[in-house]
Amino acid sequence: MAETAIPQQLSQRRDGHTTSVTIGGERFHLTTNGRDDDGLGEVSIQWGEHETAGAHLMDVYAAALSLGLRHGVPLTDLVGHGIDLYFAPNGHTDDPEIPRVRSVADWMARRLAIDWLSHEERADLGIYTLDERVEQAADWLTVEDASVPAPRAGLPT
């Protein structure tokens, strides 16, 4: 017989924050609430198009993430499934950390990873902050510059 996971109870009052984003002209509001141990406890998302199939699917996705979190599923496992999911709306965002996405689920997974996971956990998923991407590019350019031979004397530079 399979063991039954005991869901973690969240406090009646909990700290959280909301992040808003525009993707393909559509506005979304992602709300996250923490647990007493400072981990992520629950997720919800609102889409301006209430009562549409897409809005309901996003509600279900957020509820599934929250249920997984309450039952102790690691956030890395949960967000890994949302990365690179492709459906509309997609494209450019107004989130400076995540300028392009393949869907709102892709943005949610990346935003949750950036906000709630360590650098090592995000690196395993291939998710980096803007500052980390700039640093990587600078390191790459430095390595590339070092491998280019210096011009020989007497030749134009």
Side-chain angles (χ1 to χ4, degrees):
M1 188 154 138
E3 291 184 34
T4 303
I6 299 172
Q8 300 172 5
Q9 294 298 319
L10 296 175
S11 323
Q12 191 171 9
R13 183 177 174 103
R14 42 199 171 267
D15 293 326
H17 66 273
T18 300
T19 305
S20 299
V21 67
T22 301
I23 302 171
E26 299 288 338
R27 193 77 174 153
F28 298 89
H29 307 282
L30 174 67
T31 301
T32 57
N33 291 309
R35 296 186 311 247
D36 291 337
D37 66 359
D38 294 327
L40 180 59
E42 65 184 355
V43 176
S44 67
I45 189 153
Q46 282 75 44
W47 186 355
E49 295 185 16
H50 296 287
E51 302 303 319
T52 65
H56 288 297
L57 285 172
M58 292 315 305
D59 287 342
V60 169
Y61 180 59
L65 290 173
S66 296
L67 187 61
L69 291 167
R70 286 192 60 216
H71 283 84
V73 178
L75 182 57
T76 54
D77 293 344
L78 295 171
V79 299
H81 295 286
I83 296 169
D84 289 332
L85 280 179
Y86 182 73
F87 57 88
N90 54 43
H92 293 285
T93 79
D94 59 357
D95 185 335
E97 295 284 345
I98 311 166
R100 282 190 65 84
V101 293
R102 297 176 59 84
S103 65
V104 66
D106 182 33
W107 175 79
M108 281 179 63
R110 293 172 189 280
R111 181 81 265 158
L112 291 172
I114 288 170
D115 290 347
W116 293 92
L117 295 177
S118 69
H119 172 75
E120 292 77 21
E121 291 169 315
R122 288 185 289 104
D124 287 344
L125 295 168
I127 298 173
Y128 301 95
T129 65
L130 181 60
D131 288 340
E132 291 164 348
R133 289 193 307 265
V134 167
E135 185 178 317
Q136 286 176 340
D139 290 345
W140 182 81
L141 288 173
T142 302
V143 169
E144 287 294 311
D145 291 343
S147 65
V148 175
R152 292 187 297 185
L155 294 177
T157 56

